[in-house]
Amino acid sequence: MRRSIYAAVVTAVGIVILADLVVANPALGSVAGFLTGLLVLLAAAAAIAGALTLLVRHSGRIARGTDRAGSLAVLVGMTLVLVPGLLPGSAGADAPAVRWVVAALLAPLVAAIFALLFPLLLSAARRGLRLRGRESGVMLAGAAAVLVLLLPIGGEPGAWLASIAAWVQAVPVAAVFRGMLLGVAAIGALTAARILLGAEGIDE
Amino acid sequence: MSEARRGVGRGRRLPRGILPLALIAALAIAWLVPQLPFLSLGGGAESTLGDDLHVAIGSLPDQPNVIVDMDPDLGTYPEIRYATRAALADLMAVGSRVAVVSFSTEGRAIAVAEIARLRAAGAGPDRLVDLGFRSGGEAALVQLTGQPLDRDVSGATSPVLDQLQERGGGLGAFDLALVVGGGDMGPRSWIEQVEPRVPHLPVAAITPTFLLPQVQPYREAGQLVALAGTLPEAVAYGASVAGGGATSGPERVPEQPPNALAILVGMLVALAVLLESGMSGLVGGLRGASRGRRG
């Protein structure tokens, strides 16, 4: 019964917003606008709820003595970013202190974590070859071929490599990704239809 | 095992951590070396890479209104920062009035930094307006299509917004939407949510390479009027804007392109590791097969 109510609400809201896209009607537009406003509030509420949950969880961990260092690091990080922006008279995200925290701490940290992908991927490639040699070998041969095509070389050799890279990108890679995206979209639509029609429960 | 063989085995093993340190040292040296003539990230002077975005901005009418959606990801922004700053400089050079908006927190943080940089370079309130952060993701984007856009982030009006009101206000008053993607919000959100509601607003995009399979079909279908979606395209575009000659002010591209030698070193290291791993696996497999035949 509860699942039917949720499904009915989701279906009704989706139909109203879709209808507003297709039909030019002021009354429908105002209803759709109201619902969109509610969605924005819901997203904001979810973000605040997420932050509060994080605060409660990690405070509890500190109190219980479970991974105190990690939880303290999370809370100190949250405080460092939130407090300068929420102080009275602060300009929020525009405040110099917040901009400093982002530029001096957040941006380098996130970029460094992203940069770790390089050695981690290489390490995973080596392990993959040890565990499943044939399949990993095929995948890594493709990766090596793409690396060669993308070498930043100038002149005639570089132009030749770039033209092959453009073909590879436009034809086989694009075909594979389009197939994957179509497949994911089809599965998503099917799953959504099953949930909305209540067909999920039939298999249980 | 004999002493001699044990000694040879010990001598072959490198000290722990030497390889990562060697990689860091090689990348640092490559980064410090000036650009080498035989290396080219952007395809050289004759290349047509990067023309897409340059032509799209160049064909805008006189003193166009442009909305820039800054929603990159902090991790991948270094890849597109050169092209993004070149695009902002290009927009300033053609006399654009630019409004900046963000729908993600990371995008907002980056937008604040870029707006501060442009203001420090001399972009006044008659050229640049901050529309702030809109929470709610795609729902906020849908809301934006129906809002009059008459106030900036501080609730004040500005010459840019006054000019938009003369043209009817809202997203329809803009001549171009430039979407800087990489995070959750990106060109796909604009095409799905904005184009059906504001069909005459052209959308251009700057995205990191990992989003290319997602956005390339939109470019080919014409739903995106321009795309800088790979590092060579971004570097070529930045070089063409930097070649415009501006040496000061918001029209100047404020940074150097990514170092091609450092990228080459990283790619060669990756190729070497893949090759070594592949050869080790192949040799190991052949040895095992020959032992099996002997046994």
Side-chain angles (χ1 to χ4, degrees):
Chain A
M1 176 63 184
R2 196 186 295 171
R3 191 181 292 156
S4 304
I5 294 172
Y6 295 151
V9 168
V10 167
T11 306
V13 170
I15 288 173
V16 167
I17 292 178
L18 192 59
D20 176 55
L21 197 62
V22 174
V23 176
N25 180 295
L28 189 59
S30 62
V31 172
F34 171 73
L35 289 172
T36 305
L38 276 183
L39 285 172
V40 171
L41 283 175
L42 191 63
I48 293 172
L52 287 173
T53 304
L54 214 59
L55 186 66
V56 166
R57 177 170 296 177
H58 287 283
S59 302
R61 279 189 182 172
I62 290 173
R64 285 192 304 272
T66 318
D67 190 20
R68 275 194 174 138
S71 294
L72 200 59
V74 170
L75 292 180
V76 166
M78 282 174 68
T79 310
L80 267 179
V81 179
L82 282 174
V83 167
L86 293 175
L87 286 172
S90 169
D94 219 0
V98 177
R99 279 167 44 196
W100 181 87
V101 167
V102 171
L105 293 180
L106 264 180
L109 276 173
V110 176
I113 289 170
F114 197 77
L116 283 175
L117 266 181
F118 177 59
L120 284 176
L121 274 175
L122 292 181
S123 169
R126 290 175 67 87
R127 288 183 186 208
L129 279 168
R130 275 201 296 271
L131 292 171
R132 299 182 74 90
R134 193 177 301 169
E135 293 87 348
S136 299
V138 169
M139 186 184 73
L140 295 174
V146 170
L147 279 172
V148 169
L149 291 174
L150 294 178
L151 286 172
I153 301 169
E156 283 292 324
W160 184 72
L161 288 175
S163 64
I164 299 175
W167 179 86
V168 168
Q169 171 191 309
V171 180
V173 171
V176 166
F177 270 94
R178 283 184 210 204
M180 276 171 53
L181 290 171
L182 282 169
V184 166
I187 290 172
L190 193 63
T191 306
R194 284 166 59 89
I195 292 172
L196 288 173
L197 294 172
E200 276 276 295
I202 292 170
D203 295 335
E204 289 168 10
Chain B
M1 190 190 292
S2 70
E3 282 288 335
R5 286 179 75 179
R6 253 186 265 137
V8 167
R10 247 187 253 120
R12 277 207 187 137
R13 203 176 295 158
L14 293 170
R16 205 179 163 83
I18 194 78
L19 289 175
L21 286 174
L23 176 60
I24 291 171
L27 290 173
I29 292 167
W31 184 59
L32 291 169
V33 169
Q35 297 280 3
L36 298 175
F38 64 88
L39 294 181
S40 170
L41 262 177
E46 299 81 28
S47 169
T48 56
L49 286 175
D51 282 355
D52 220 13
L53 197 49
H54 204 38
V55 165
I57 291 177
S59 60
L60 289 171
D62 197 36
Q63 293 192 322
N65 299 312
V66 178
I67 184 164
V68 177
D69 172 15
M70 288 287 285
D71 278 311
D73 171 64
L74 276 173
T76 54
Y77 188 57
E79 181 186 343
I80 59 173
R81 184 174 54 222
Y82 182 62
T84 303
R85 290 183 171 180
L88 291 170
D90 203 6
L91 289 171
M92 288 291 148
V94 300
S96 301
R97 284 177 279 255
V98 176
V100 181
V101 70
S102 298
F103 299 93
S104 64
T105 50
E106 289 186 19
R108 177 61 187 161
I110 293 169
V112 163
E114 293 296 338
I115 289 169
R117 182 184 62 78
L118 286 171
R119 292 220 192 278
D126 59 328
R127 301 294 304 280
L128 184 64
V129 66
D130 182 6
L131 295 178
F133 166 69
R134 309 286 174 124
S135 77
E138 291 195 358
L141 184 57
V142 170
Q143 265 194 338
L144 191 72
T145 62
Q147 285 178 342
L149 294 178
D150 53 0
R151 292 283 184 271
D152 68 9
V153 65
S154 62
T157 59
S158 85
V160 175
L161 296 175
D162 291 339
Q163 215 278 333
L164 285 176
Q165 295 309 307
E166 286 173 21
R167 295 180 62 176
L171 278 187
F174 288 98
D175 298 294
L176 179 72
L178 176 64
V179 182
V180 181
D184 296 329
M185 294 285 295
R188 183 174 159 181
S189 304
W190 277 74
I191 288 163
E192 288 177 353
Q193 304 298 342
V194 175
E195 284 202 357
R197 294 173 168 89
V198 190
H200 60 270
L201 175 66
V203 179
I206 298 173
T207 58
T209 311
F210 82 92
L211 279 181
L212 190 67
Q214 197 186 98
V215 297
Q216 184 80 18
Y218 294 130
R219 178 67 192 99
E220 289 170 7
Q223 288 166 293
L224 283 176
V225 299
L227 172 66
T230 64
L231 189 58
E233 286 173 356
V235 170
Y237 171 65
S240 63
V241 174
T247 54
S248 63
E251 298 87 2
R252 185 181 77 92
V253 181
E255 66 182 65
Q256 297 297 315
N259 189 298
L261 183 59
I263 291 174
L264 179 66
V265 166
M267 291 170 87
L268 290 176
V269 165
L271 276 170
V273 169
L274 290 178
L275 215 59
E276 189 269 338
S277 306
M279 293 306 291
S280 303
L282 197 63
V283 166
L286 289 172
R287 275 188 191 154
S290 96
R291 260 190 237 120
R293 276 197 299 273
R294 264 188 265 133

